[in-house]
Amino acid sequence: MSVLDIHDMTVAYHRRPVLWDVDLVLEEPRLVGVLGPNGAGKSTLVKAVLGLAPMAHGTVRVFGEPVERVRKRIGYVPQRESVDWDFPVSVLDVVLMGTYGRLGWCRRPGPRERQLARECLAKVGMEDFERRQIGQLSGGQQQRTFLARALAQQADLYFMDEPMAGVDAATEHAIFTLLGELRKAGKTVVVVHHDLRTVEQYFDYVVLLNMRVVAAGPTNGAFTADTLRRTYGGRLSMLEAVGDAVEARERA
Amino acid sequence: MNAGCFLVAQASSLGERVADRSFDFVQAAAEALGVPYNTLLVLATTALLGAVSGVVGCFAVLRRRALVGDALAHAALPGLCVAFLLAGVRSVPVMLLGALASGVVGIGAIVALRRGTRIKEDAAIGIVLSVFFGAGIVLSSWIQNSTATGNKAGLDSYILGKTSGIAAGDLVVVAVACLACIALVALAFKEFRLVTFDAPFARAQGWPVAVVDFGLLAMIAIVVVIGLPTVGVVLMAALLIIPGAAARFWTERLWAMTLLAAAFGLAVGIVGAAASSRVERLPTGPIIVLVGTLLFLISATSAPRRGAVARWVAARRFARTIAVHRLLCEMFEATTEVASDWRPSEHRLAIAEARRRGYVRPAADGYELTEAGRAAAIDALRDERLWQAVLVEYPELAVGAADPFHASASEVLPPAIIGELTERLRAAGRWPEELRAVAASGGSP
């Protein structure tokens, strides 16, 4: 039974296709990097699997079942910009949201859920921040909070949309150490990623995406100069490298 | 049409029976409390209305549905008129049902405009709000001028609200709606919090976001409609929005915000109704809004931390900290580096603040650093130099972490890197401890 089976997925916004005929099968637990240029549909792929973007065509099965029936086994880290960080909740409140799925309607999180949420916060090194309002955190800390919330979902398959966007190097490293541990525990983690330099270090499986799947497979086979060129295009990749350098300089 | 008339008649007679019963109840309560019947009725109604508006309004504001409430209120007016025409008499329950129906049609029109055309939500709300309100005004003028019973409809009072028309039946309607909404929020607090904060995550977790959103919209519709007789279609949205928006300034927790908004709404309702009933012919809606605005202004200015005054004070304190930081560094390095140009007023403030902190004292030719000032200057300089070095040598480490005024580099970064950069700075003669020796020897570099 495969972990994730995407068959013939097409997604369109306003009749404009964003993803065409995507086929992707993950047979066993993996740490997967989803890579591709801007507008390649990386986030859309994740959202379509989760039912957050409308699929024009295709089927998705997770652990051999339709997504709707296995949602309790799926964890999700949305993009950090997708929420209002001025919202009146504490860090612990947000992490507790991860336990809501198992609780069901109208049952409040109790001591057990609190305990779990605190453990998840400790795993991302945020145990001292549980009472903070979420807007008072740095970008990296906000990302860690989202990660802790996903951990509190106690899922077997995680989707993370750009968890490294705008985080400091220490956070990035901490996050990937944690993802490695999840992977060792037999979980699958699918990460939308944009930093090509760190791919080989972090992922054991890559999906190169540019509206279609250009290449997918174990990192050492699928992540090559050739597949990269076909994903990003010869000139595009150079422009991206220059863009990254300028961006890094401006940030500094 | 016959079935419609029958339903209207049924609702109307049910309304009258409920009104009779509750009349007795309120009268008994008034006697027991020793308050005039009418006063108790008006205050109880507006208080409950304010409280439930506060609770529902919190979620409406946080889920960015506040304007939907406004559109719903305005869109209710034609429904009020049509219901009056159908019933033929002024029956509050029937007219509120009519208001609810046309309010829902208005919301449907907003959704249709947004989905069916490329018009954005704010424009769609603007269109629906004004078109329905205009139609309602035309209908109500026509009813009042040309039908026999029109002048008794009291349709005018629905536009800006009136407390004098409140009957015992109104109190019952408001009390039931209030209990229902508060019970729903209490039961599904977790679901409302989740969907309001992060709807995509809620959806991914398997929650039917549309159902929760519908629950919220239904509560908004109910609160708006029951508020129409008292506050009026024009200003009902204010009672929905203001208590929640004001409560947000005082707390960082959703449950506290909800309770506080309920208390604010209650107070605004009572004070507003009391004030408007003292003056003849003064509509209630505007008074309630003015009282609410006063509360909002107090919250927005003087709440701790989020209020304007608190934020101004914090900004000033931060500016002074930076100025003192700069002053210390410059005084410490005065022998080796050229002092930057200060604005005179800025410089005086920095000196005053540094004196207050015991960092500088008057000397023969101006000011000099105290021992504490010297130590603080060394700390500040060391950190500044370290951060500068980090930004140059390890830019990827600095992103999102560099904050020289709140965190020391040696706390944030790995010791190995700090050690390496320290050595480098030392070798370049830019490490403050060495500089101190230079400064102490009175020295040339």
Side-chain angles (χ1 to χ4, degrees), chain B residues 42 44-54 56 69-70 72-74 76-77 80 90 92-93 95-97 99-100 154-166 169-178 181 218-240 265 269 273 283-286 288-289:
Chain B
V42 167
T45 307
T46 50
L48 286 179
L49 180 64
V52 69
S53 299
V56 174
D70 201 17
L72 216 149
H74 281 77
L77 190 56
L80 280 168
R90 183 178 190 275
V92 173
M95 288 168 79
L96 291 190
L97 281 179
L100 187 61
L155 285 170
D156 270 350
S157 71
Y158 281 93
I159 293 174
L160 290 175
K162 208 163 93 176
T163 51
S164 56
I166 293 179
D170 296 315
L171 175 58
V172 173
V173 169
V174 170
V176 168
C178 180
C181 289
M219 288 197 300
I220 294 175
I222 287 169
V223 167
V224 163
V225 166
I226 62 170
L228 292 182
T230 319
V231 188
V233 296
V234 179
L235 295 172
M236 184 53 215
L239 188 58
L240 190 69
T284 316
I288 282 184
V289 169

Side-chain angles (χ1 to χ4, degrees), chain B residues 103-129:
Chain B
V104 169
V105 171
I107 298 297
I110 292 171
V111 173
L113 275 176
R114 226 187 49 214
R115 296 241 175 102
T117 68
R118 291 189 162 234
I119 290 174
K120 300 282 181 281
E121 177 146 31
D122 59 335
I125 286 176
I127 292 169
V128 167
L129 184 150

Side-chain angles (χ1 to χ4, degrees), chain A residues 180-246:
Chain A
E181 283 166 20
L182 284 175
R183 167 73 185 76
K184 273 192 208 109
K187 320 276 187 185
T188 295
V189 188
V190 178
V191 182
V192 173
H193 195 63
H194 61 268
D195 187 357
L196 294 177
R197 292 171 304 178
T198 48
V199 169
E200 286 169 297
Q201 185 187 345
Y202 292 146
F203 301 109
D204 60 14
Y205 197 95
V206 293
V207 177
L208 290 169
L209 202 67
N210 194 357
M211 298 181 84
R212 317 172 58 121
V213 175
V214 178
T219 307
N220 49 21
F223 191 71
T224 63
D226 174 55
T227 56
L228 277 174
R229 193 164 44 245
R230 282 195 287 133
T231 310
Y232 289 86
R235 276 194 312 161
L236 234 172
S237 62
M238 208 177 73
L239 279 177
E240 277 235 329
V242 173
D244 283 349
V246 170

Side-chain angles (χ1 to χ4, degrees), chain B residues 280-338:
Chain B
E280 191 70 15
R281 298 174 60 83
L282 202 58
T284 316
I287 301 287
I288 282 184
V289 169
L290 288 180
V291 173
T293 307
L294 187 68
L295 190 74
F296 179 82
L297 282 178
I298 293 172
S299 304
T301 51
S302 49
R305 298 200 346 150
R306 290 183 76 89
V309 172
R311 279 190 322 193
W312 182 77
V313 169
R316 283 290 304 243
R317 191 176 302 142
F318 181 59
R320 278 205 300 268
T321 303
I322 292 181
V324 167
H325 190 278
R326 206 172 122 197
L327 183 79
L328 292 184
C329 291
E330 282 180 8
M331 287 178 74
F332 184 84
E333 295 186 298
T335 48
T336 53
E337 272 174 38
V338 185

Side-chain angles (χ1 to χ4, degrees), chain B residues 10-41:
Chain B
Q10 283 290 308
S12 170
S13 77
L14 177 71
E16 276 155 27
R17 270 188 317 218
V18 170
D20 286 346
R21 290 268 173 78
S22 34
F23 176 83
D24 299 340
F25 174 75
V26 177
Q27 197 153 42
E31 272 162 22
L33 290 168
V35 188
Y37 170 79
N38 260 325
T39 312
L40 178 69
L41 189 59

